[in-house]
Amino acid sequence: MNKLFKALVYDRQVSLSVLDTTDLVNKAIKIHSLSGKSAELLGNLLTVCAYMSGCLKSPKGAVSITVKSPEGSGSASVSGDVDLHIRGYVDGSCKHTFVGGALTVIKDDGFYRPFVGACQIESDDVSRIMCDYFRQSEQIPTAVSVGVKLAEDGTCTAAGGVVMQLLPGTSEENVAKAEERMQAFTDPASVIEQYGADGVIRNFFDGDIDQKGLYLLHPDYICNCSRSKIEGIIVPLGRDELLSVCDEQGAVSVHCHYCNTDYTFDKDDILKLFDK
Ligand SMILES: [Zn+2]
């Protein structure tokens, strides 16, 4: 089961998140038939998205993260919401470097306008990209270490990571403690594989953690699309337009990139939609 532990550590001055997203990443690999670099890229982005979704406050909160390669040959996009329903997809090839490309984050906490942050990609390491993003766009010192470990058969044996974020006014001593502790997570997938998320809390943070504030969430790969939602998207196109698509192509078909599902509406379906 996927896990996201959240807690405060080091005199409650540093927020800690520990993630095990192995099942989530395996679902993504299966849905999209991913392998190699694509599986790693999407897996790491899904883990980061699970972390950021766990930070949302509003019941309508949602976050999306997109990375694009510089020449536009490849991109990956993930979305999550306050229920920790995480989903994503890869478009094009991820074989080439993303350095010089762009990262875009859209965070909608349900209040006012969504926050849009962007930064240039300076590494193919998702952990580095996200550290740069938090520093440049949100001005919050954040250490991100996420990883995906793949077996020979292409399945994910471990995925997850550790995120530490300094709260305002963190003492120099506690900054140093957090920095030193992060050194243990240079290969986070192996650490998750060995200890599990629970074990990481016990073995690396026992004594430094505020036990009362420790809580556990369960992110999962869940798409929020449905036939009725797709109906809501196509109806504004109008009855005549949709019927003419049916005449030309046999049916109106809409593909959900996140879960690889096709929704098909034939002439009868379209007529029924406008009969309501
Ligand atoms: Zn879907």
Side-chain angles (χ1 to χ4, degrees), residues 16-165:
L16 167 73
S17 299
V18 179
L19 298 114
D20 178 346
T21 51
T22 312
D23 290 345
L24 204 160
V25 173
N26 270 319
K27 258 196 201 175
I29 288 173
K30 214 167 161 193
I31 289 170
H32 300 291
S33 311
L34 297 175
S35 62
K37 274 195 172 171
S38 303
E40 280 174 27
L41 176 67
L42 192 65
N44 282 323
L45 287 173
L46 288 166
T47 302
V48 170
C49 190
Y51 161 70
M52 291 182 80
S53 298
C55 299
L56 295 166
K57 306 270 184 312
S58 140
K60 283 186 188 160
V63 60
S64 72
I65 308 168
T66 303
V67 291
K68 278 200 171 82
S69 67
E71 74 290 3
S73 62
S75 70
S77 202
V78 293
S79 296
D81 57 37
V82 74
D83 297 320
L84 280 99
H85 294 177
I86 317 297
R87 57 216 172 262
Y89 62 91
V90 170
D91 207 5
S93 166
C94 296
K95 280 189 196 127
H96 305 292
T97 181
F98 276 66
V99 173
L103 166 89
T104 311
V105 173
I106 302 171
K107 222 161 50 169
D108 186 352
D109 224 336
F111 319 104
Y112 311 110
R113 263 180 287 172
F115 169 87
V116 182
C119 73
Q120 183 163 317
I121 295 173
E122 282 164 30
S123 164
D124 279 314
D125 176 9
V126 170
S127 304
R128 256 286 309 280
I129 296 172
M130 294 314 297
C131 290
D132 288 347
Y133 161 77
F134 281 111
R135 195 184 62 247
Q136 289 173 29
S137 256
E138 298 200 16
Q139 275 101 42
I140 306 172
T142 308
V144 180
S145 183
V146 291
V148 169
K149 206 169 171 180
L150 299 173
E152 294 244 323
D153 67 359
T155 57
C156 169
T157 52
V162 174
V163 180
M164 279 201 248
Q165 198 159 56

Side-chain angles (χ1 to χ4, degrees), residues 87 223-226 256-261 263:
R87 57 216 172 262
C223 189
N224 61 358
C225 72
S226 66
C256 176
H257 289 286
Y258 288 112
C259 62
N260 244 339
T261 304
Y263 292 92

